[in-house]
Amino acid sequence: MLTYLIRRVLGLIPLGIGITLLCFVVIHLTPGDPAVVGTDLNPKISLQARQRIKEFYGLNDPLPVQYGRWVARVARLDFGRSLADNRPVSEKIAERIPVTLTINVLSMLLILLLGLPIGIVAAAKPHGVFDHATTLLVFLGFSMPTFWLALLLMQWLGVQWQWLPISGLQGLGTDSWPWWERGWDLARHLALPVFVSAFGGLAGVARYMRSQMVDVLQQDYIRTARAKGLPEPRVLFDHALRNALLPIITILGLSVPGLLGGSVIFETIFAIPGLGRLYYDAVMARDLMTVMGLLTISAGLTLLGNLLADLAYAYADPRIRVGGQGG
Amino acid sequence: MRRRAADLWVRIGGGVIVALAVLAVAAPSAATHDPNAIDLLEALQPPSALHWLGTDSLGRDLYSRLVFGARISLLVGVGAIGVAMLIGTALGLAAGWYGGWVDSALMRFVDVMLCFPTFFLLLAIVALIGQSVANIILIIGVTGWMGVARLVRAEVLSLKEREFIQAARVLGFGAGRIMWRHLLPNALSPVLVSATLGIGSAILVESGLSFLGLGVQPPTPSWGNLLIDAKGTLGVAWWLTLYPGLAILCTVLAFNLLGEGLRERLGRS
Amino acid sequence: MLDIRNLTVEFETAHQRVRAVDGVSLAIGPGQVVGLVGESGSGKTTLGLAVTRLIPEPPGAIRSGEILFKGRDLLRLPQEELVQVRGGAIAYVFQEPATSLNPVMTVGRQLIETVERHTSRRSRAARGRAVELLAQVGIPAPEERLSSYPHELSGGMKQRVMRS
């Protein structure tokens, strides 16, 4: 188990190099001076800003030197200062992480809480009514433009019936409320964003869980369990589920980039001050420093998510955790 | 039984797509108004006999804009996937065939690309190189080839050991020829499925980009940027929200149905 | 004791309906040992599985027949009673031990749950019985083995676990 851990962490290094390299390439993507691009596309970038970009990325130095300095900075989480408001990028990112993290974690929870049971029930009676309904749900989930879903929900639930608030994280003038009322207010504000964020993932997990369960239920050891006289619910939940759930852990880890990317859309629509919104604003303002910082961080978060998922999987699967002698 | 369901999906999906394509190609004839014709007197009208799906805040006919928007969606969808297929197939073939460090390097590259949220990459590149339709097609393609590459690589790896490939090698056929005439045709089915599903995905991405203002720019109508107007008139003009979104949903659904149906049908043989 | 009459089992495949067991009748008296011999694919396993209705119902289906066990027709038995029979009065030892054990559960757990199911023993008593059983089939250090996972055991050992 420990060797596995060490190997995995070491495996991250080439990926880390690759990521920083790619970001580096992106900065230099445009023909000519990247600092000039700012001015061409957006007169907001002043001469001073151009100068700052040049200095930060050392664009006057030879490429390898530039890259080396860039990596050193990344290691210290120094992404320079935002071109928009001159605050350190890492600070701006850090203050937004809790929000995005909260929403994404809640999203994942919702996905699991709804998606897993749906998949299990669908697999219990394949080709039954519930199964077909699930298939329909899955197709809808994969075909739905999330921003449209957001708009529709905003229109009905927010404007027409006024059940839920549609923007921001807290209502006006709620600072003076007692903490439990503020908590409830927060929950109401989070309801729509979390749901929209979870929608696509829900369909995916439901479908995956179903196919996993169907596969597992066809295995010999399930037949053994039945042959031993165990009642069906026991067979399903005790024997089958343990096996079917394992790959879900990996899926969760892989969903990090998807959730982050999706957050751009719903954070913009619902005016949530998170990472996605920061990124969008930075892109619109051509604040290249923040953009690069976020790009790198998001890739880093993905790596982290994958690592955590792999570790969790290694722990959960006794075949890896305990190793085998086989033979 | 499963086969009949799959056939049904292929037919429904395929049918919708063909109808849409016809509509898109014949857009000037199919539309009832000039999609860019502004008529402030008619602004924000609900659906009527004159304006089948209503008008937007500048009085433009929604139906006509939707019809022309279909052009963009199909163009970008198919174009982007074309780019993705080209890149992905080429890299996948190379990785699978040559193996060794080429394979390792390419697969690492794929892993690295997959670490970035697609939307983040898209937005960054769009901000850097500009928003033309051609650029968008290119960018979506360049950020979406990874799945195809892995798929093709897997196919090549499994086909590589089969006898007819061994035979071809022994007979001295060059790598290029083997790839083109023997490997590709066999790898075609899963790639086709992937491409079909990918078009749906690309359409979703393009509409998202356009909605954020970083895709197809107004006044050119794209289903995504039609929804920008909808956001501004939320609660007032339900038709502006409903129809463009419905168009996206149904189109992507059609591609998904077609793709899954194809997967069932082609996978069995 | 076990009386199989005119049993027919069919399977629906993608192309056609296959009759795996066709009107078979077989009787086993108390104390008797019966061996079924046939080429592979002749339906021996299917027949055996059908006795306690272990055939997966989509694609398979038991088309006709009766299976009388101690006077009761197993094919008509309600589910709660059927699961009592399985593993208790009628037990199976499967051919492929490698895949017949649940890979994510300890061997001990899989044994103990069977013991608990079919006897009145619980927790420590059941555990004790499980150790006995393992010892009976000749597995060394049975106490420790209870907390092993199937992949840690050799093929032969797995087979022995199945038997116990």
Side-chain angles (χ1 to χ4, degrees), chain C residues 72-148:
Chain C
R72 312 189 60 190
D73 185 0
L74 293 179
L75 293 180
R76 310 269 178 282
L77 214 57
Q79 191 73 11
E80 314 88 67
E81 298 182 41
L82 183 65
V83 299
Q84 287 289 87
V85 172
R86 285 179 184 166
I90 301 186
Y92 290 82
V93 179
F94 290 107
Q95 256 174 285
E96 316 88 355
T99 53
S100 296
L101 287 173
N102 194 328
V104 301
M105 278 186 178
T106 59
V107 163
R109 185 125 185 290
Q110 299 188 49
L111 265 182
I112 292 175
E113 71 182 348
T114 321
V115 171
E116 289 189 348
R117 184 87 181 95
H118 290 283
T119 68
S120 53
R121 298 177 202 220
R122 292 289 171 267
S123 52
R124 245 183 313 143
R127 202 182 149 81
R129 179 78 183 122
V131 173
E132 268 175 41
L133 289 168
L134 281 182
Q136 262 180 0
V137 294
I139 291 185
E143 275 280 350
E144 290 105 62
R145 277 291 162 229
L146 280 186
S147 40
S148 307

Side-chain angles (χ1 to χ4, degrees), chain B residues 7-25:
Chain B
D7 277 341
L8 187 67
W9 288 0
V10 169
R11 286 201 203 124
I12 297 181
V16 169
I17 294 171
V18 166
L20 193 68
V22 167
L23 204 64
V25 165

Side-chain angles (χ1 to χ4, degrees), chain A residues 127-193:
Chain A
H127 303 298
V129 175
F130 193 85
D131 193 18
H132 285 308
T134 305
T135 310
L136 188 66
L137 167 78
V138 166
F139 268 105
L140 273 180
F142 283 161
S143 316
M144 173 83 70
T146 46
F147 55 95
W148 185 55
L149 181 67
L151 286 180
L152 286 177
L153 289 177
M154 281 170 87
Q155 186 157 325
W156 292 334
L157 296 182
V159 176
Q160 242 177 320
W161 293 333
Q162 307 239 324
W163 283 353
L164 289 172
I166 59 173
S167 101
L169 282 182
Q170 57 185 57
L172 293 171
T174 55
D175 280 336
S176 49
W177 290 7
W179 67 265
W180 61 88
E181 283 191 34
R182 273 166 55 192
W184 178 242
D185 183 51
L186 181 66
R188 288 180 73 231
H189 278 91
L190 285 177
L192 284 181

Side-chain angles (χ1 to χ4, degrees), chain A residues 126 219-232 234 238-240 242-243 246 316-327, chain C residues 45 49 54 83-84 86-88 90 92 94 96 99-105 109-111 113-114 117-118 145 149 151-155 162:
Chain A
Q219 295 297 316
D220 284 343
Y221 52 83
I222 297 296
R223 188 177 62 180
T224 310
R226 289 195 179 122
K228 290 199 300 199
L230 298 175
E232 194 64 13
R234 183 83 181 268
D238 222 9
H239 283 256
R242 275 176 205 236
N243 284 275
L246 283 180
D317 186 346
R319 285 166 288 197
I320 302 180
R321 168 162 43 119
V322 181
Q325 318 132 336
Chain C
T45 316
L49 289 176
L54 279 174
V83 299
Q84 287 289 87
R86 285 179 184 166
I90 301 186
Y92 290 82
F94 290 107
E96 316 88 355
T99 53
S100 296
L101 287 173
N102 194 328
V104 301
M105 278 186 178
R109 185 125 185 290
Q110 299 188 49
L111 265 182
E113 71 182 348
T114 321
R117 184 87 181 95
H118 290 283
R145 277 291 162 229
Y149 286 95
H151 67 269
E152 293 176 270
L153 307 178
S154 67
M162 287 295 298

